[in-house]
Amino acid sequence: MISKETYPGILFTLFIATLAWIVCLIFPFLNSILIGLLFGIVIGNFFKLPSQFSTGISISGSKVLEFSILFLAVGINYTYMGKIGWESFMLVGIVVFLVLIFSVFLSKKMNCPSTVGWMVGFGTAICGSSAIAALAPSLKNNKEETGIALAVVNLFGTLGMLFLPVLIGLFSLSTTEISLLLGGTLHSVGNVAGAAFTVSDAVGEQAITIKLARVALLSPGLIFFNFLTRDKNTTKNWKSYFQLPWYLWGFILITILVSIIQVPDAFLKFSSEAGKVLLTIAMTAIGLKVSFSSLIQSGKKGLFYGLIIFMVQILFILIGILFLD
């Protein structure tokens, strides 16, 4: 509950998040969500924060995260599934669910801190930061793990955006094949846009459509991931896998409604910006709780794990492209 005791921490978080937004207004190529996280990590580790800030920061990193998901849901439209053609959608859908299965398997084999591995895998499979934001509140984890997963996914998303178009240029691929490779593997919509439009406008438009179809799999992906990560030592009936937190049911309901009802562009833009603002606040708060020692200890394994997941995802897409030929 928000009380007077939480105000100092909430206001401090808002102040740091505002600094992140200002930096991103000056340098538009930067991501406010990632900058907020980095600012939080640096400030939380180099300055001893007053103890009365702790509760407010914790609320900013949990409750704000939950509400940000509802705004982000407005931008997810299931009609994109039909716009890319059934063959391309089948490939993208199969790869998403294969990556989810592989990420759970690999996190156990590598003894990667379970929730870090799960969030990195989920973010890689579907849509980066937004996917992690949707999954994180439902996991029994500490906020440091969410920050580590977000940092790993954003790092590889950025590296993929920079280097995949260069590597693609070495091969003779069609517009559809390039679009599938970029739209089906890169972590965020921004990563896909940044990479695809450097190839051509045609690739950019098609890759974005493929990416949005992949984003539309977030809701079924959450239910499927809940099934994958279930506790096998407890007996559950099939209904228990649909026992999602309130905000995830709200997320699913909103995505269904916006897929049926024509939503004004102005409202879509407002919701997208509001979601990013709330997510920036949440990630700033999470950053304030991340210690360098935990980041280094879990981050090393998380980086290697994230690289393997990303490479496997690219391999799956390439194999699927060969079958489509």
Side-chain angles (χ1 to χ4, degrees), residues 20-271:
W21 296 325
I22 292 170
V23 168
C24 292
L25 287 174
I26 299 170
F27 304 100
F29 57 89
L30 294 176
N31 183 327
S32 67
I33 298 167
L34 183 58
I35 296 301
L37 175 70
L38 294 176
F39 276 12
I41 292 173
V42 171
I43 291 168
N45 282 272
F46 282 100
F47 299 93
K48 184 172 177 59
L49 302 178
S51 59
Q52 59 263 38
F53 283 12
S54 182
T55 305
I57 291 171
S58 296
I59 287 177
S60 300
S62 56
K63 297 302 179 186
V64 175
L65 185 62
E66 294 175 4
F67 281 102
S68 72
I69 296 163
L70 300 180
F71 283 97
L72 294 170
V74 178
I76 297 177
N77 194 315
Y78 295 124
T79 60
Y80 284 103
M81 294 180 180
K83 290 181 180 179
I84 67 172
W86 73 269
E87 288 182 331
S88 294
F89 177 69
M90 283 290 291
L91 171 58
V92 170
I94 289 170
V95 169
V96 164
F97 287 101
L98 284 178
V99 171
L100 293 179
I101 293 168
F102 183 74
S103 65
V104 174
F105 167 79
L106 187 65
S107 67
K108 293 177 182 176
K109 288 295 180 183
M110 287 184 61
N111 195 28
C112 187
S114 60
T115 59
V116 172
W118 291 352
M119 286 186 287
V120 169
F122 199 76
T124 302
I126 301 178
C127 56
S129 301
S130 299
I132 292 174
L135 179 66
S138 64
L139 298 177
K140 294 179 180 178
N141 66 344
N142 57 51
K143 298 307 173 188
E144 289 183 346
E145 293 175 340
T146 303
I148 291 164
L150 189 78
V152 169
V153 164
N154 274 280
L155 173 63
F156 286 117
T158 302
L159 291 175
M161 178 180 67
L162 295 173
F163 292 109
L164 267 184
V166 177
L167 294 174
I168 284 170
L170 302 176
F171 302 93
S172 178
L173 297 173
S174 68
T175 296
T176 299
E177 289 170 342
I178 296 172
S179 300
L180 279 168
L181 187 56
L182 297 177
T185 63
L186 289 176
H187 299 62
S188 72
V189 175
N191 294 150
V192 174
F197 279 103
T198 62
V199 179
S200 72
D201 287 348
V203 169
E205 291 169 5
Q206 193 169 355
I208 288 291
T209 304
I210 289 167
K211 175 61 181 178
L212 291 174
R214 187 170 143 214
V215 172
L217 292 170
L218 183 51
S219 298
L222 284 166
I223 295 171
F224 182 65
F225 208 73
N226 187 34
F227 168 76
L228 287 177
T229 56
R230 70 196 186 282
D231 186 353
K232 294 182 175 62
N233 294 322
T234 59
T235 303
K236 293 184 177 182
N237 60 42
W238 64 272
K239 293 180 182 178
S240 63
Y241 303 122
F242 293 87
Q243 292 175 353
L244 303 175
W246 70 269
Y247 57 87
L248 290 184
W249 279 119
F251 175 92
I252 293 170
L253 178 61
I254 291 170
T255 57
I256 293 171
L257 287 175
V258 298
S259 300
I260 298 171
I261 302 168
Q262 182 70 34
V263 180
D265 290 340
F267 184 71
L268 286 174
K269 186 175 181 180
F270 165 77
S271 297

